[in-house]
């Protein structure tokens, strides 16, 4: 384990192409679908992120201890003991496993770390209970660990969840719907946050045999088991946002990124449009991926940036830091879910930027940054950042290396959650030391 990442001495890029991690979002959903289908087919290019590794290991453990099929729900041989599964601070793994374990024959103990106690989960628990799930907290004043006894669930009418909650609630319920008696009917809000992630889930379900229909904003999923298909996973567009930031901040003439698809299921592919419009980074697609290049004449430099992040919250951090480093005024909204991520990203990034004397605020649902007067003098020698044990915070703070002579970031190993080779990638542009 390393205590700090120290980033110094920008240099000319040592490579003309980058390899990004494979999509964590696609990987995690496909792991659940494959398990439910009872398939052993390979998922090619599975993400190596900590979250995906953790989920994959949990599913292997469930498979080992689940002695009967999901649909039969016969008694097991371990009536007295619960099989413990650890989610740590992996929100996706926790929410997906919660629903899956509710229908998986056996007795399960789902645990998570202290941060997960502060992240949204209770509405999903209550929704599953309304379908007949047997879930209870071990301790009266804590959510985790949860005791779960797998059983057959039954449709109980239209499911309605608040639109401002994580899209993973709906994705979690949707993926088990084909194994619920009568399927499921779920209300979809037009203002649902992170809607592209729900669309990703539904498309993957359809590709693997599920009956999915949307009528009058109601999602109808039939009771029909999956037929899992072999699949390749593309590179991660959320991770690509940091490569786009590097091109924008470094005025890099050309940088190839392999494995990104033009017609992607990942909603964060919108990053290409955002960086083209506001930061002059153009994207050329080819058979192997994309080529990025910076064109300073392709955008209006003094234009105030206006972005609604309700559909793409994972893009918020690289975009806010890029704008601040380039001294571009912005008004951002759709930020309501950011306080419930791996850390309180909304307030944490404000704290990190304000401590450097920059004018950033958050009021009435809007974050505003006012470009500094060119004559204002600030010290740009050293930027010391707290990662808050949050992978995206650590990566975003590293981008300040384009503005400061030296950047020092606490707990750099947290990037393993989504981008294990991030510091190696950054070392192509700076001297990076892990100490």
């Amino acid at each position: 384990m390393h205590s700090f990442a120290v980033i110094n001495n920008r240099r000319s890029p040592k490579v003309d192409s980058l390899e990004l991690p494979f999509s964590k979002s696609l990987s995690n959903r496909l792991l659940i679908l494959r398990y439910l289908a009872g398939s052993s087919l390979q998922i090619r290019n599975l993400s190596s992120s900590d979250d995906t590794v953790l989920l994959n290991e949990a599913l292997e453990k469930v498979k080992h201890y689940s002695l009967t099929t999901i649909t039969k729900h016969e008694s097991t041989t371990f009536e007295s003991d619960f099989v413990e599964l650890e989610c740590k601070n992996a929100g996706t793994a926790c929410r997906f496993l919660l629903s899956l374990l509710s229908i998986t024959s056996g007795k399960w103990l789902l645990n998570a770390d202290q941060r997960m106690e502060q992240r949204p989960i209770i509405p999903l628990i209550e929704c599953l209970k309304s379908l007949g799930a047997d879930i209870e907290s071990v301790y009266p004043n804590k959510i985790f660990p949860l005791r779960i006894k797998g059983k057959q669930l039954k449709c109980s009418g239209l499911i309605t969840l608040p639109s401002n909650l994580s899209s993973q609630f709906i994705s979690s319920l949707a993926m088990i719907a084909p194994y619920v008696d009568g399927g499921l009917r779920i209300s979809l809000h037009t203002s649902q946050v992170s809607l592209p992630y729900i669309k990703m889930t539904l498309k993957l379900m359809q590709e693997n045999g599920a009956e999915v229909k949307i009528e009058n904003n109601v999602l109808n999923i039939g009771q029909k088991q999956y037929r899992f298909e072999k699949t390749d996973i593309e590179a991660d567009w959320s991770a690509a946002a940091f490569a786009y930031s590097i091109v924008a901040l470094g005025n890099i003439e050309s940088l190839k990124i392999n494995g990104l698809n033009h017609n992607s299921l990942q909603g964060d592919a919108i990053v290409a449009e955002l960086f083209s419009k506001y930061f002059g980074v153009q994207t050329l697609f080819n058979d192997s991926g994309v080529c990025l290049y910076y064109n300073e004449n392709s955008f209006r430099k003094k234009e105030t940036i206006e972005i609604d992040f309700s559909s793409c919250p994972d893009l918020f951090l690289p975009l806010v830091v890029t704008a601040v480093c380039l001294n571009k005024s912005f008004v951002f909204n759709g930020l309501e879910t950011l306080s419930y991520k791996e850390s309180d990203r909304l307030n944490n990034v404000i704290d990190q930027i304000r401590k450097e004397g920059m004018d950033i605020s958050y009021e009435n649902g809007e974050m505003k940054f006012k470009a500094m007067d060119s004559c204002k003098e600030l010290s740009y020698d050293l930027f010391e950042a707290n990662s808050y044990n949050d992978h995206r915070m650590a990566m975003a703070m590293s981008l300040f290396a384009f503005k400061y002579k030296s950047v020092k970031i606490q707990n750099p190993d947290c990037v393993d959650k989504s981008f294990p080779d991030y510091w190696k990638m950054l070392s192509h542009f700076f001297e990076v030391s892990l100490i």
Side-chain angles (χ1 to χ4, degrees):
M1 296 292 291
H2 301 97
S3 298
F4 297 98
V6 180
I7 309 162
N8 297 302
N9 301 329
R10 181 183 167 190
R11 54 194 178 192
S12 299
K14 297 174 65 176
V15 295
D16 61 4
S17 66
L18 295 178
E19 299 291 336
L20 296 178
F22 297 109
S23 171
K24 180 165 68 80
S25 297
L26 290 172
S27 294
N28 292 343
R29 285 160 176 76
L30 287 168
L31 283 174
I32 296 292
L33 299 184
R34 183 178 69 174
Y35 177 87
L36 288 167
S39 173
S40 58
L41 287 176
Q42 179 186 8
I43 301 175
R44 292 183 291 267
N45 300 337
L46 194 67
S47 170
S48 61
S49 67
D50 278 356
D51 278 14
T52 299
V53 171
L54 185 151
L55 179 58
N56 197 18
E57 289 176 348
L59 291 172
E60 289 298 317
K61 191 172 183 178
V62 172
K63 182 179 179 180
H64 175 74
Y65 282 101
S66 182
L67 304 181
T68 57
T69 65
I70 292 170
T71 53
K72 290 182 179 178
H73 295 282
E74 299 167 356
S75 62
T76 70
T77 60
F78 47 99
E79 291 294 328
S80 59
D81 296 325
F82 284 77
V83 177
E84 185 170 359
L85 301 165
E86 177 60 59
C87 289
K88 299 181 180 179
N89 190 16
T92 306
C94 185
R95 292 166 185 142
F96 288 3
L97 282 172
L98 179 58
S99 294
L100 183 139
L101 295 175
S102 296
I103 64 166
T104 302
S105 182
K107 298 167 70 174
W108 315 102
L109 191 70
L110 187 63
N111 207 356
D113 68 12
Q114 184 59 39
R115 176 60 185 169
M116 276 303 300
E117 291 278 335
Q118 302 164 8
R119 301 178 68 184
I121 192 73
I122 290 177
L124 179 57
I125 295 173
E126 295 303 320
C127 184
L128 288 165
K129 284 184 175 181
S130 74
L131 301 173
D134 188 341
I135 306 170
E136 63 175 0
S137 296
V138 173
Y139 304 111
N141 297 319
K142 292 185 64 178
I143 299 173
F144 298 99
L146 291 166
R147 289 196 188 102
I148 305 169
K149 297 178 183 178
K151 58 185 291 191
Q152 179 71 60
L153 304 186
K154 185 175 182 178
C155 180
S156 60
L158 181 65
I159 294 172
T160 302
L161 291 164
S163 63
N164 62 340
L165 293 178
S166 172
S167 64
Q168 292 172 4
F169 286 17
I170 293 177
S171 289
S172 179
L173 292 167
M175 286 190 290
I176 68 163
Y179 297 82
V180 173
D181 185 5
L184 288 179
R185 298 177 66 242
I186 305 172
S187 176
L188 294 177
H189 298 269
T190 55
S191 59
Q192 171 66 50
V193 298
S194 302
L195 186 60
Y197 285 90
I198 296 174
K199 292 180 178 179
M200 175 198 299
T201 301
L202 300 180
K203 181 63 175 177
L204 291 174
M205 290 171 59
Q206 289 176 313
E207 289 177 354
N208 288 281
E211 293 181 346
V212 178
K213 295 181 180 179
I214 300 178
E215 298 176 345
N216 299 321
N217 291 327
V218 174
L219 172 59
N220 295 279
I221 305 171
Q223 186 180 354
K224 180 185 178 183
Q225 296 186 15
Y226 293 119
R227 181 190 65 254
F228 191 75
E229 303 287 347
K230 271 188 178 179
T231 186
D232 288 336
I233 293 176
E234 63 178 318
D236 195 307
W237 273 102
S238 304
F242 294 95
Y244 274 84
S245 292
I246 288 170
V247 172
L249 294 171
N251 298 352
I252 294 175
E253 294 181 357
S254 177
L255 185 65
K256 299 175 184 177
I257 303 177
N258 297 321
L260 292 174
N261 295 337
H262 188 263
N263 298 315
S264 176
L265 291 181
Q266 300 177 67
D268 283 354
I270 196 174
V271 70
E273 177 184 329
L274 295 175
F275 270 84
S276 173
K277 182 176 181 179
Y278 294 117
F279 300 115
V281 180
Q282 307 304 309
T283 305
L284 294 178
F285 287 89
N286 53 52
D287 291 341
S288 61
V290 301
C291 181
L292 310 183
Y293 64 94
Y294 177 75
N295 181 354
E296 66 176 350
N297 297 318
S298 65
F299 69 106
R300 288 176 289 182
K301 295 181 181 180
K302 293 186 178 181
E303 179 182 14
T304 296
I305 304 171
E306 297 183 8
I307 302 175
D308 182 344
F309 285 94
S310 57
S311 294
C312 52
D314 284 346
L315 299 182
F316 165 73
L317 286 174
L319 279 159
V320 70
V321 174
T322 301
V324 167
C325 287
L326 293 176
N327 196 30
K328 288 179 64 68
S329 297
F330 62 72
V331 178
F332 292 162
N333 53 43
L335 311 176
E336 292 79 9
T337 63
L338 289 166
S339 292
Y340 304 103
K341 298 292 185 178
E342 284 80 349
S343 73
D344 181 352
R345 291 176 182 167
L346 182 61
N347 289 301
N348 290 344
V349 77
I350 290 174
D351 288 344
Q352 293 298 301
I353 293 172
R354 277 182 177 169
K355 75 179 185 181
E356 298 302 312
M358 291 179 250
D359 185 8
I360 189 168
S361 63
Y362 181 72
E363 293 180 354
N364 302 319
E366 288 188 338
M367 176 180 284
K368 296 182 179 180
F369 173 76
K370 184 179 180 181
M372 292 176 289
D373 191 322
S374 59
C375 66
K376 186 175 182 179
E377 293 185 4
L378 292 175
S379 172
Y380 294 135
D381 290 332
L382 174 64
F383 183 83
E384 295 187 82
N386 188 342
S387 71
Y388 303 92
N389 199 31
D390 183 336
H391 56 130
R392 297 197 198 280
M393 277 295 297
M395 292 186 287
M397 294 301 99
S398 75
L399 299 173
F400 279 106
F402 284 98
K403 192 175 186 69
Y404 290 78
K405 293 179 181 178
S406 181
V407 172
K408 187 177 182 181
I409 300 172
Q410 295 178 5
N411 192 19
D413 294 337
C414 63
V415 301
D416 291 350
K417 185 175 177 65
S418 65
F419 199 158
D421 289 331
Y422 180 76
W423 301 118
K424 180 180 178 181
M425 183 201 76
L426 195 65
S427 69
H428 295 309
F429 307 93
F430 296 92
E431 291 182 8
V432 180
S433 300
L434 300 179
I435 56 178

